[in-house]
Amino acid sequence: SMRTRAVLDGDDYVIEGHKWFISNAGIADYYVVFASTDPDQGSRGISAFLVPADAEGLTFRGPQIMSAAHPLGEIVFDQCRVPVANRIGDEGRGFMVGMATLDQLRPTVGAASCGMAERALREALGHAVRREQFGQPLADFQIIQEKFGRMAIELAASRLLVYRAAWEKDRGADRITVEAAMAKAYATEAAQRIIDESIQILGARGVLADHPLDRLYRSVRSLRIYEGTTEIQHLIIAGQMVAEAKAEVADLEG
């Protein structure tokens, strides 16, 4: 459904369109811009371009402020000309360029989630061993211990999935689509649960605006959306599973 167009005109492409939710908009010196060079071809008609921030016809429309601290903004392209040499890869291969990049970015989102989850868990543990209720620390109550046990398991599983994706890429794998999707989906969802549970343990202190857990709660939410939502990660994983199962059946029946 990409509406931004790039039309070849001599030695240049002319880009027309409007982009929302662009990371580092207004800050970056260069943008990697995806535009449709052949709308009839769908994803096979998307190309990628390296566009300088000071290119004529490129305008930073303004920031989009999130509850978490992350620079986002709108960018408008009005007859923005970029040389053919600024195209990244072959024409029509932009979608593949983007997907290969996401393979590497998604595990980093999972890693960030692990960091947020660990901070939340440490905050909750520190509070639970200090805070006394009914004559004993919160940490001595079994219901609180059960929460900590579950949170620790989820954090460890998240880390292992992130480590696996990074290890596969480091050892030379061309694509780590499924590994990256699993790492991103599980780690971000687990971090959301861990941070929420940590706030539950702290009670009212955890929702004070200046408390680290409140900031973590607002920050972690977007991780389940950008670089592909959790639902999309599930579809990627399932799509690969179905394709492999169909191939196995075809081999057996062939």
Side-chain angles (χ1 to χ4, degrees):
S1 301
M2 186 173 291
R3 295 182 182 179
T4 300
R5 292 288 310 276
V7 178
L8 186 62
D9 181 26
D11 294 330
D12 296 331
Y13 281 93
V14 180
I15 302 177
E16 284 276 348
H18 188 173
K19 298 285 190 179
W20 289 268
F21 302 112
I22 303 304
S23 291
N24 298 318
I27 300 173
D29 294 321
Y30 293 90
Y31 297 99
V32 176
V33 180
F34 294 87
S36 177
T37 46
D38 189 350
D40 294 335
Q41 293 297 314
S43 63
R44 292 183 174 85
I46 295 172
S47 301
F49 303 90
L50 184 66
V51 183
D54 59 358
E56 186 175 352
L58 186 159
T59 303
F60 170 56
R61 177 67 61 85
Q64 294 173 289
I65 308 301
M66 294 200 307
S67 59
H70 181 77
L72 292 175
E74 298 181 48
I75 298 174
V76 177
F77 299 90
D78 181 13
Q79 294 291 302
C80 179
R81 303 183 73 91
V82 295
V84 171
N86 283 35
R87 189 184 66 221
I88 301 173
D90 296 332
E91 184 171 288
R93 296 286 292 175
F95 183 78
M96 298 305 296
V97 170
M99 291 302 100
T101 303
L102 286 175
D103 278 359
Q104 298 183 65
L105 289 179
R106 283 170 176 160
T108 70
V109 179
S113 300
C114 290
M116 292 182 181
E118 180 178 0
R119 175 64 189 275
L121 182 55
R122 288 181 178 275
E123 288 286 339
L125 274 168
H127 174 78
V129 297
R130 292 184 181 94
R131 175 67 170 169
E132 289 195 2
Q133 289 281 21
F134 308 106
Q136 63 180 349
L138 284 179
D140 288 350
F141 288 94
Q142 286 187 330
I143 193 169
I144 300 298
Q145 292 178 0
E146 187 277 334
K147 291 178 185 293
F148 283 135
R150 179 160 33 86
M151 294 155 70
I153 291 170
E154 289 201 291
L155 178 54
S158 298
R159 282 179 170 146
L160 288 170
L161 285 168
V162 170
Y163 293 156
R164 182 184 68 163
W167 180 75
E168 289 287 356
K169 189 62 182 178
D170 284 348
R171 68 195 293 260
D174 290 332
R175 297 296 303 273
I176 54 167
T177 304
V178 171
E179 293 89 346
M182 286 185 175
K184 202 268 183 183
Y186 188 86
T188 55
E189 293 290 336
Q192 179 82 57
R193 291 190 293 269
I194 291 169
I195 293 170
D196 185 73
E197 198 75 278
S198 296
I199 290 176
Q200 196 72 7
I201 292 171
L202 264 78
R205 285 183 176 85
V207 291
L208 292 175
D210 63 347
H211 196 282
L213 285 182
D214 184 78
R215 295 196 296 273
L216 286 169
Y217 191 79
R218 286 183 279 114
S219 296
V220 75
R221 186 60 184 85
S222 62
L223 273 61
R224 296 164 57 201
I225 297 173
Y226 66 72
E227 311 298 3
T229 64
T230 299
E231 290 80 4
I232 289 298
Q233 308 312 312
H234 292 167
L235 292 179
I236 290 169
I237 296 162
Q240 184 65 33
M241 292 171 64
V242 170
E244 291 175 357
K246 287 181 176 179
E248 291 177 3
V249 170
D251 289 342
L252 291 172
E253 295 178 350

